[in-house]
Amino acid sequence: MIVIDYRDGRPIYEQIVHRFQEMILKGAMAPDERMPSIRTLAIELAINPNTIQKAYTRLEQEGFIYSVKGKGNFVAYSESLREKKREDIMEQFLELVKKAMELGVSKEDLIETIRSLKGGNSVDRG
Amino acid sequence: MIVIDYRDGRPIYEQIVHRFQEMILKGAMAPDERMPSIRTLAIELAINPNTIQKAYTRLEQEGFIYSVKGKGNFVAYSESLREKKREDIMEQFLELVKKAMELGVSKEDLIETIRSLKGGNSVDRG
Amino acid sequence: MIVIDYRDGRPIYEQIVHRFQEMILKGAMAPDERMPSIRTLAIELAINPNTIQKAYTRLEQEGFIYSVKGKGNFVAYSESLREKKREDIMEQFLELVKKAMELGVSKEDLIETIRSLKGGNSVDRG
Amino acid sequence: MIVIDYRDGRPIYEQIVHRFQEMILKGAMAPDERMPSIRTLAIELAINPNTIQKAYTRLEQEGFIYSVKGKGNFVAYSESLREKKREDIMEQFLELVKKAMELGVSKEDLIETIRSLKGGNSVDRG
DNA sequence: GTGGTCTAGACCACA
DNA sequence: GTGGTCTAGACCACA
């Protein structure tokens, strides 16, 4: 479920936060679904419970999960959060497109790259 | 030439590296042009010379500049570097497009976003 | 009668305490009326009886209910309690008004906000 | 500057967060002013540096301060944050007014309470 | 059992 | 010197 990469430059807690965000945003974890308990996950990943705690606290502050004392942590993902995330991504997308163009990549190349991807919601007609 | 933003989350040396990369890639600094000396820049920006040293070392490792003992540091930008950079960007671009699509953004939306940007090298016919 | 919101940050027992306080203060429960039995309520809400027990103990400490051994728990609300509660609220109100003024909200704005509320016991003349 | 109250129910880190928020919002600390270093404050208050760290991290996430690696933490307070805070307070204000009215306090009593306070930005005419 | 707070102390990156 | 991360381990509140 969660994999720690010690060669990854990012701190452990950040990797955990990122991984859960991903799963929650993709719908791999449903709203109100229970998160693994802090202790369980700590043992499974062989890291300190405090580090998991830190990751969960971050996820809670960002609105991805909510905590019920004595019961555990639960997925709290809502559509408004999804919308916010979408805007973040589009902002990064714009930045990247500008960078690419500064390096001499043409708009057509970028568009071709997108078209070449499988899936996506766009409808291909004639 | 270089501006430090202390509110920017990134460490100072990283901001300096990034700024020089930008200028070199854009051609604002020509190959074999002399970089500002470490001491001069340190005084100008009112920061520790160690920090400039670290930034220059990083730029050298990444192939953006080369150092000549007793003479200073010089821009080493070549077309191959530009090509490598371009590939990096396109990789990030692909990742981001996938993320956006996972969040329900359609290919057409992304393409429209690109088209809406001013400038760019693509030729519009008909 | 009682609804638990697991997304609410507060612990479950606190939500129960708060809900009963509200009902008793509003008069939705009359003095000497019998409270739901601990077991019944625990089953109904699908939570641990210890949690209800804790809530009732708290309500008793605060003078909202009294317990009769072998008979159950009963509403103990009296006018003096209501008066005490009123003073508590007015104290919080004063604190909040001060905070708002520190942030630059004028007295007139606050007064307008109160006036804009529907209901209320104040008499509007001419 | 900061005082810890061990009888206060709230955790230590939260008391610290709250105290700094207060000072920053009141203008007792100016933007870009340096915060006490984590270690210094830890010694002064005789508590663990981790606890201060936690408080500072929270303040950073909430936009009250920003951190510069190797330099320290600095006040980052901006007008937009002040505006957000004001809205929070007004929301609490509304809740409290409703509660007071449920307990039989009249609008006029509340308004009188506000008027009786010294200071405030409202202009008294006639 | 569950999460939350705190301490003591190590080690790292950055300036 | 400055902040940031992590471990080991204690102790508390809640269910």
Side-chain angles (χ1 to χ4, degrees), chain A residues 85-119:
Chain A
K85 193 79 189 176
R86 211 181 281 150
E87 283 165 14
D88 280 4
I89 293 280
M90 288 309 283
E91 211 170 297
Q92 287 176 47
F93 179 76
L94 261 178
E95 283 308 305
L96 210 53
V97 169
K98 281 179 195 163
K99 267 193 202 169
M101 281 165 57
E102 276 173 8
L103 284 169
V105 182
S106 74
K107 285 182 176 181
E108 286 310 322
D109 286 349
L110 294 172
I111 291 173
E112 272 317 301
T113 303
I114 293 174
R115 287 234 166 85
S116 70
L117 282 171
K118 65 182 178 204

mmCIF file of all heavy atoms in Angstrom, chain A residues 85-119:
data_model
loop_
_atom_site.group_PDB
_atom_site.id
_atom_site.type_symbol
_atom_site.label_atom_id
_atom_site.label_comp_id
_atom_site.label_asym_id
_atom_site.label_seq_id
_atom_site.Cartn_x
_atom_site.Cartn_y
_atom_site.Cartn_z
ATOM 1 N N LYS A 85 -7.575 20.934 -5.781
ATOM 2 C CA LYS A 85 -6.436 20.197 -6.309
ATOM 3 C C LYS A 85 -6.318 20.423 -7.820
ATOM 4 O O LYS A 85 -5.231 20.634 -8.354
ATOM 5 C CB LYS A 85 -6.641 18.710 -6.025
ATOM 6 C CG LYS A 85 -5.399 17.874 -6.247
ATOM 7 C CD LYS A 85 -4.460 17.999 -5.078
ATOM 8 C CE LYS A 85 -3.119 17.345 -5.349
ATOM 9 N NZ LYS A 85 -2.187 17.564 -4.244
ATOM 10 N N ARG A 86 -7.439 20.395 -8.477
ATOM 11 C CA ARG A 86 -7.469 20.575 -9.930
ATOM 12 C C ARG A 86 -6.881 21.932 -10.305
ATOM 13 O O ARG A 86 -6.083 22.048 -11.239
ATOM 14 C CB ARG A 86 -8.919 20.478 -10.410
ATOM 15 C CG ARG A 86 -9.058 19.919 -11.796
ATOM 16 C CD ARG A 86 -10.513 19.878 -12.188
ATOM 17 N NE ARG A 86 -11.227 18.756 -11.618
ATOM 18 C CZ ARG A 86 -12.522 18.742 -11.312
ATOM 19 N NH1 ARG A 86 -13.258 19.819 -11.510
ATOM 20 N NH2 ARG A 86 -13.082 17.681 -10.807
ATOM 21 N N GLU A 87 -7.269 22.948 -9.555
ATOM 22 C CA GLU A 87 -6.745 24.289 -9.837
ATOM 23 C C GLU A 87 -5.234 24.350 -9.634
ATOM 24 O O GLU A 87 -4.524 24.976 -10.415
ATOM 25 C CB GLU A 87 -7.440 25.314 -8.931
ATOM 26 C CG GLU A 87 -8.843 25.647 -9.405
ATOM 27 C CD GLU A 87 -9.650 26.370 -8.334
ATOM 28 O OE1 GLU A 87 -9.038 26.828 -7.344
ATOM 29 O OE2 GLU A 87 -10.883 26.452 -8.479
ATOM 30 N N ASP A 88 -4.764 23.690 -8.585
ATOM 31 C CA ASP A 88 -3.319 23.632 -8.324
ATOM 32 C C ASP A 88 -2.598 23.045 -9.532
ATOM 33 O O ASP A 88 -1.603 23.597 -10.014
ATOM 34 C CB ASP A 88 -3.027 22.744 -7.113
ATOM 35 C CG ASP A 88 -3.258 23.466 -5.803
ATOM 36 O OD1 ASP A 88 -3.715 24.626 -5.850
ATOM 37 O OD2 ASP A 88 -3.002 22.876 -4.747
ATOM 38 N N ILE A 89 -3.108 21.920 -9.987
ATOM 39 C CA ILE A 89 -2.475 21.228 -11.110
ATOM 40 C C ILE A 89 -2.458 22.112 -12.358
ATOM 41 O O ILE A 89 -1.433 22.221 -13.034
ATOM 42 C CB ILE A 89 -3.241 19.916 -11.423
ATOM 43 C CG1 ILE A 89 -3.090 18.923 -10.275
ATOM 44 C CG2 ILE A 89 -2.755 19.309 -12.732
ATOM 45 C CD1 ILE A 89 -1.786 18.175 -10.266
ATOM 46 N N MET A 90 -3.562 22.784 -12.629
ATOM 47 C CA MET A 90 -3.628 23.611 -13.835
ATOM 48 C C MET A 90 -2.637 24.773 -13.752
ATOM 49 O O MET A 90 -2.081 25.194 -14.770
ATOM 50 C CB MET A 90 -5.052 24.133 -14.044
ATOM 51 C CG MET A 90 -6.032 23.061 -14.480
ATOM 52 S SD MET A 90 -5.446 22.081 -15.901
ATOM 53 C CE MET A 90 -5.745 23.263 -17.242
ATOM 54 N N GLU A 91 -2.416 25.260 -12.541
ATOM 55 C CA GLU A 91 -1.442 26.327 -12.352
ATOM 56 C C GLU A 91 -0.039 25.812 -12.692
ATOM 57 O O GLU A 91 0.723 26.455 -13.421
ATOM 58 C CB GLU A 91 -1.486 26.782 -10.886
ATOM 59 C CG GLU A 91 -1.149 28.233 -10.666
ATOM 60 C CD GLU A 91 -1.460 28.630 -9.226
ATOM 61 O OE1 GLU A 91 -2.648 28.571 -8.831
ATOM 62 O OE2 GLU A 91 -0.508 28.962 -8.500
ATOM 63 N N GLN A 92 0.291 24.637 -12.164
ATOM 64 C CA GLN A 92 1.588 24.024 -12.470
ATOM 65 C C GLN A 92 1.712 23.762 -13.963
ATOM 66 O O GLN A 92 2.783 23.945 -14.539
ATOM 67 C CB GLN A 92 1.726 22.685 -11.732
ATOM 68 C CG GLN A 92 1.945 22.795 -10.244
ATOM 69 C CD GLN A 92 1.957 21.419 -9.602
ATOM 70 O OE1 GLN A 92 2.603 20.496 -10.081
ATOM 71 N NE2 GLN A 92 1.224 21.269 -8.509
ATOM 72 N N PHE A 93 0.619 23.342 -14.545
ATOM 73 C CA PHE A 93 0.604 23.048 -15.982
ATOM 74 C C PHE A 93 0.977 24.296 -16.786
ATOM 75 O O PHE A 93 1.837 24.256 -17.661
ATOM 76 C CB PHE A 93 -0.793 22.559 -16.367
ATOM 77 C CG PHE A 93 -0.974 22.243 -17.816
ATOM 78 C CD1 PHE A 93 -0.453 21.075 -18.360
ATOM 79 C CD2 PHE A 93 -1.676 23.110 -18.650
ATOM 80 C CE1 PHE A 93 -0.625 20.777 -19.708
ATOM 81 C CE2 PHE A 93 -1.851 22.822 -19.993
ATOM 82 C CZ PHE A 93 -1.328 21.651 -20.531
ATOM 83 N N LEU A 94 0.362 25.405 -16.452
ATOM 84 C CA LEU A 94 0.658 26.660 -17.144
ATOM 85 C C LEU A 94 2.134 27.024 -17.029
ATOM 86 O O LEU A 94 2.779 27.386 -18.017
ATOM 87 C CB LEU A 94 -0.182 27.797 -16.548
ATOM 88 C CG LEU A 94 -1.433 28.158 -17.338
ATOM 89 C CD1 LEU A 94 -2.199 29.253 -16.623
ATOM 90 C CD2 LEU A 94 -1.043 28.635 -18.741
ATOM 91 N N GLU A 95 2.666 26.929 -15.819
ATOM 92 C CA GLU A 95 4.076 27.238 -15.584
ATOM 93 C C GLU A 95 4.979 26.403 -16.484
ATOM 94 O O GLU A 95 5.918 26.899 -17.103
ATOM 95 C CB GLU A 95 4.438 26.943 -14.115
ATOM 96 C CG GLU A 95 3.960 27.982 -13.133
ATOM 97 C CD GLU A 95 4.388 29.375 -13.545
ATOM 98 O OE1 GLU A 95 5.594 29.591 -13.745
ATOM 99 O OE2 GLU A 95 3.500 30.249 -13.700
ATOM 100 N N LEU A 96 4.645 25.113 -16.542
ATOM 101 C CA LEU A 96 5.476 24.170 -17.282
ATOM 102 C C LEU A 96 5.409 24.444 -18.783
ATOM 103 O O LEU A 96 6.425 24.378 -19.482
ATOM 104 C CB LEU A 96 5.019 22.746 -16.977
ATOM 105 C CG LEU A 96 6.102 21.675 -17.044
ATOM 106 C CD1 LEU A 96 7.285 22.066 -16.167
ATOM 107 C CD2 LEU A 96 5.541 20.337 -16.601
ATOM 108 N N VAL A 97 4.223 24.769 -19.253
ATOM 109 C CA VAL A 97 4.064 25.060 -20.676
ATOM 110 C C VAL A 97 4.919 26.275 -21.043
ATOM 111 O O VAL A 97 5.613 26.284 -22.064
ATOM 112 C CB VAL A 97 2.581 25.317 -21.027
ATOM 113 C CG1 VAL A 97 2.449 25.888 -22.432
ATOM 114 C CG2 VAL A 97 1.781 24.030 -20.900
ATOM 115 N N LYS A 98 4.899 27.273 -20.166
ATOM 116 C CA LYS A 98 5.709 28.474 -20.425
ATOM 117 C C LYS A 98 7.184 28.125 -20.499
ATOM 118 O O LYS A 98 7.912 28.567 -21.394
ATOM 119 C CB LYS A 98 5.471 29.508 -19.324
ATOM 120 C CG LYS A 98 4.177 30.294 -19.496
ATOM 121 C CD LYS A 98 3.993 31.276 -18.349
ATOM 122 C CE LYS A 98 2.568 31.813 -18.292
ATOM 123 N NZ LYS A 98 2.277 32.430 -16.989
ATOM 124 N N LYS A 99 7.650 27.327 -19.535
ATOM 125 C CA LYS A 99 9.052 26.900 -19.513
ATOM 126 C C LYS A 99 9.416 26.190 -20.808
ATOM 127 O O LYS A 99 10.473 26.454 -21.411
ATOM 128 C CB LYS A 99 9.292 25.948 -18.335
ATOM 129 C CG LYS A 99 9.767 26.614 -17.071
ATOM 130 C CD LYS A 99 10.282 25.548 -16.091
ATOM 131 C CE LYS A 99 10.279 26.050 -14.666
ATOM 132 N NZ LYS A 99 10.527 24.966 -13.700
ATOM 133 N N ALA A 100 8.554 25.255 -21.197
ATOM 134 C CA ALA A 100 8.833 24.472 -22.409
ATOM 135 C C ALA A 100 8.946 25.397 -23.616
ATOM 136 O O ALA A 100 9.851 25.252 -24.451
ATOM 137 C CB ALA A 100 7.729 23.443 -22.627
ATOM 138 N N MET A 101 8.062 26.386 -23.683
ATOM 139 C CA MET A 101 8.083 27.301 -24.820
ATOM 140 C C MET A 101 9.356 28.158 -24.810
ATOM 141 O O MET A 101 9.926 28.423 -25.872
ATOM 142 C CB MET A 101 6.814 28.150 -24.832
ATOM 143 C CG MET A 101 5.620 27.379 -25.406
ATOM 144 S SD MET A 101 4.010 28.137 -25.078
ATOM 145 C CE MET A 101 4.236 29.762 -25.797
ATOM 146 N N GLU A 102 9.794 28.536 -23.611
ATOM 147 C CA GLU A 102 11.055 29.281 -23.522
ATOM 148 C C GLU A 102 12.223 28.464 -24.086
ATOM 149 O O GLU A 102 13.189 29.013 -24.604
ATOM 150 C CB GLU A 102 11.363 29.615 -22.055
ATOM 151 C CG GLU A 102 10.675 30.878 -21.557
ATOM 152 C CD GLU A 102 10.877 31.054 -20.064
ATOM 153 O OE1 GLU A 102 11.663 30.282 -19.478
ATOM 154 O OE2 GLU A 102 10.245 31.959 -19.476
ATOM 155 N N LEU A 103 12.107 27.152 -23.949
ATOM 156 C CA LEU A 103 13.174 26.271 -24.433
ATOM 157 C C LEU A 103 13.000 25.923 -25.905
ATOM 158 O O LEU A 103 13.706 25.072 -26.449
ATOM 159 C CB LEU A 103 13.212 24.986 -23.601
ATOM 160 C CG LEU A 103 13.827 25.135 -22.219
ATOM 161 C CD1 LEU A 103 13.572 23.901 -21.386
ATOM 162 C CD2 LEU A 103 15.331 25.390 -22.345
ATOM 163 N N GLY A 104 12.002 26.529 -26.525
ATOM 164 C CA GLY A 104 11.854 26.331 -27.961
ATOM 165 C C GLY A 104 10.923 25.211 -28.372
ATOM 166 O O GLY A 104 10.872 24.839 -29.544
ATOM 167 N N VAL A 105 10.178 24.659 -27.410
ATOM 168 C CA VAL A 105 9.179 23.653 -27.782
ATOM 169 C C VAL A 105 7.945 24.397 -28.294
ATOM 170 O O VAL A 105 7.505 25.346 -27.671
ATOM 171 C CB VAL A 105 8.799 22.777 -26.558
ATOM 172 C CG1 VAL A 105 7.808 21.703 -26.972
ATOM 173 C CG2 VAL A 105 10.042 22.169 -25.944
ATOM 174 N N SER A 106 7.417 23.973 -29.430
ATOM 175 C CA SER A 106 6.269 24.678 -30.001
ATOM 176 C C SER A 106 4.960 24.202 -29.368
ATOM 177 O O SER A 106 4.898 23.113 -28.801
ATOM 178 C CB SER A 106 6.199 24.443 -31.505
ATOM 179 O OG SER A 106 5.739 23.133 -31.744
ATOM 180 N N LYS A 107 3.945 25.059 -29.473
ATOM 181 C CA LYS A 107 2.628 24.676 -28.966
ATOM 182 C C LYS A 107 2.156 23.384 -29.613
ATOM 183 O O LYS A 107 1.592 22.508 -28.939
ATOM 184 C CB LYS A 107 1.619 25.789 -29.291
ATOM 185 C CG LYS A 107 1.736 27.022 -28.421
ATOM 186 C CD LYS A 107 0.656 28.036 -28.812
ATOM 187 C CE LYS A 107 0.672 29.257 -27.899
ATOM 188 N NZ LYS A 107 -0.389 30.232 -28.263
ATOM 189 N N GLU A 108 2.402 23.257 -30.912
ATOM 190 C CA GLU A 108 1.940 22.064 -31.612
ATOM 191 C C GLU A 108 2.567 20.790 -31.043
ATOM 192 O O GLU A 108 1.894 19.762 -30.913
ATOM 193 C CB GLU A 108 2.229 22.178 -33.117
ATOM 194 C CG GLU A 108 1.298 23.150 -33.843
ATOM 195 C CD GLU A 108 -0.181 22.902 -33.529
ATOM 196 O OE1 GLU A 108 -0.580 21.733 -33.414
ATOM 197 O OE2 GLU A 108 -0.933 23.897 -33.389
ATOM 198 N N ASP A 109 3.856 20.866 -30.701
ATOM 199 C CA ASP A 109 4.521 19.698 -30.109
ATOM 200 C C ASP A 109 3.838 19.289 -28.811
ATOM 201 O O ASP A 109 3.610 18.109 -28.555
ATOM 202 C CB ASP A 109 6.005 20.018 -29.806
ATOM 203 C CG ASP A 109 6.837 20.070 -31.083
ATOM 204 O OD1 ASP A 109 6.321 19.657 -32.143
ATOM 205 O OD2 ASP A 109 7.991 20.527 -31.003
ATOM 206 N N LEU A 110 3.521 20.300 -27.990
ATOM 207 C CA LEU A 110 2.877 20.010 -26.710
ATOM 208 C C LEU A 110 1.509 19.375 -26.931
ATOM 209 O O LEU A 110 1.138 18.396 -26.283
ATOM 210 C CB LEU A 110 2.738 21.303 -25.891
ATOM 211 C CG LEU A 110 4.068 21.928 -25.452
ATOM 212 C CD1 LEU A 110 3.832 23.297 -24.828
ATOM 213 C CD2 LEU A 110 4.786 21.026 -24.449
ATOM 214 N N ILE A 111 0.779 19.945 -27.866
ATOM 215 C CA ILE A 111 -0.559 19.427 -28.148
ATOM 216 C C ILE A 111 -0.487 18.001 -28.678
ATOM 217 O O ILE A 111 -1.274 17.135 -28.268
ATOM 218 C CB ILE A 111 -1.281 20.364 -29.150
ATOM 219 C CG1 ILE A 111 -1.582 21.697 -28.446
ATOM 220 C CG2 ILE A 111 -2.553 19.727 -29.686
ATOM 221 C CD1 ILE A 111 -2.133 22.779 -29.344
ATOM 222 N N GLU A 112 0.499 17.751 -29.555
ATOM 223 C CA GLU A 112 0.672 16.390 -30.073
ATOM 224 C C GLU A 112 0.959 15.408 -28.934
ATOM 225 O O GLU A 112 0.454 14.277 -28.911
ATOM 226 C CB GLU A 112 1.819 16.342 -31.102
ATOM 227 C CG GLU A 112 1.365 16.636 -32.515
ATOM 228 C CD GLU A 112 0.055 15.927 -32.855
ATOM 229 O OE1 GLU A 112 0.019 14.681 -32.780
ATOM 230 O OE2 GLU A 112 -0.939 16.622 -33.159
ATOM 231 N N THR A 113 1.791 15.860 -27.995
ATOM 232 C CA THR A 113 2.137 15.006 -26.850
ATOM 233 C C THR A 113 0.887 14.609 -26.075
ATOM 234 O O THR A 113 0.712 13.457 -25.686
ATOM 235 C CB THR A 113 3.105 15.752 -25.912
ATOM 236 O OG1 THR A 113 4.258 16.140 -26.664
ATOM 237 C CG2 THR A 113 3.536 14.863 -24.759
ATOM 238 N N ILE A 114 0.007 15.596 -25.870
ATOM 239 C CA ILE A 114 -1.233 15.303 -25.146
ATOM 240 C C ILE A 114 -2.087 14.324 -25.948
ATOM 241 O O ILE A 114 -2.580 13.323 -25.422
ATOM 242 C CB ILE A 114 -2.030 16.602 -24.895
ATOM 243 C CG1 ILE A 114 -1.261 17.493 -23.916
ATOM 244 C CG2 ILE A 114 -3.411 16.284 -24.351
ATOM 245 C CD1 ILE A 114 -1.878 18.858 -23.715
ATOM 246 N N ARG A 115 -2.237 14.596 -27.242
ATOM 247 C CA ARG A 115 -3.095 13.750 -28.091
ATOM 248 C C ARG A 115 -2.608 12.307 -28.115
ATOM 249 O O ARG A 115 -3.406 11.375 -28.206
ATOM 250 C CB ARG A 115 -3.110 14.308 -29.525
ATOM 251 C CG ARG A 115 -3.908 15.598 -29.677
ATOM 252 C CD ARG A 115 -4.966 15.473 -30.765
ATOM 253 N NE ARG A 115 -5.931 16.569 -30.700
ATOM 254 C CZ ARG A 115 -5.773 17.771 -31.258
ATOM 255 N NH1 ARG A 115 -4.673 18.038 -31.947
ATOM 256 N NH2 ARG A 115 -6.699 18.695 -31.132
ATOM 257 N N SER A 116 -1.273 12.135 -28.028
ATOM 258 C CA SER A 116 -0.704 10.783 -28.143
ATOM 259 C C SER A 116 -1.016 9.913 -26.924
ATOM 260 O O SER A 116 -0.864 8.692 -26.965
ATOM 261 C CB SER A 116 0.822 10.871 -28.316
ATOM 262 O OG SER A 116 1.405 11.300 -27.104
ATOM 263 N N LEU A 117 -1.451 10.547 -25.825
ATOM 264 C CA LEU A 117 -1.759 9.760 -24.628
ATOM 265 C C LEU A 117 -3.053 8.984 -24.808
ATOM 266 O O LEU A 117 -4.008 9.483 -25.394
ATOM 267 C CB LEU A 117 -1.880 10.694 -23.413
ATOM 268 C CG LEU A 117 -0.549 11.160 -22.832
ATOM 269 C CD1 LEU A 117 -0.789 12.229 -21.787
ATOM 270 C CD2 LEU A 117 0.190 9.992 -22.210
ATOM 271 N N LYS A 118 -3.076 7.782 -24.257
ATOM 272 C CA LYS A 118 -4.317 6.996 -24.314
ATOM 273 C C LYS A 118 -5.270 7.508 -23.235
ATOM 274 O O LYS A 118 -4.866 8.213 -22.314
ATOM 275 C CB LYS A 118 -4.014 5.520 -24.075
ATOM 276 C CG LYS A 118 -3.476 5.247 -22.682
ATOM 277 C CD LYS A 118 -3.133 3.786 -22.474
ATOM 278 C CE LYS A 118 -2.553 3.598 -21.064
ATOM 279 N NZ LYS A 118 -1.715 2.433 -20.926
ATOM 280 N N GLY A 119 -6.528 7.113 -23.339
ATOM 281 C CA GLY A 119 -7.519 7.516 -22.344
ATOM 282 C C GLY A 119 -7.823 8.998 -22.423
ATOM 283 O O GLY A 119 -7.691 9.612 -23.480
#
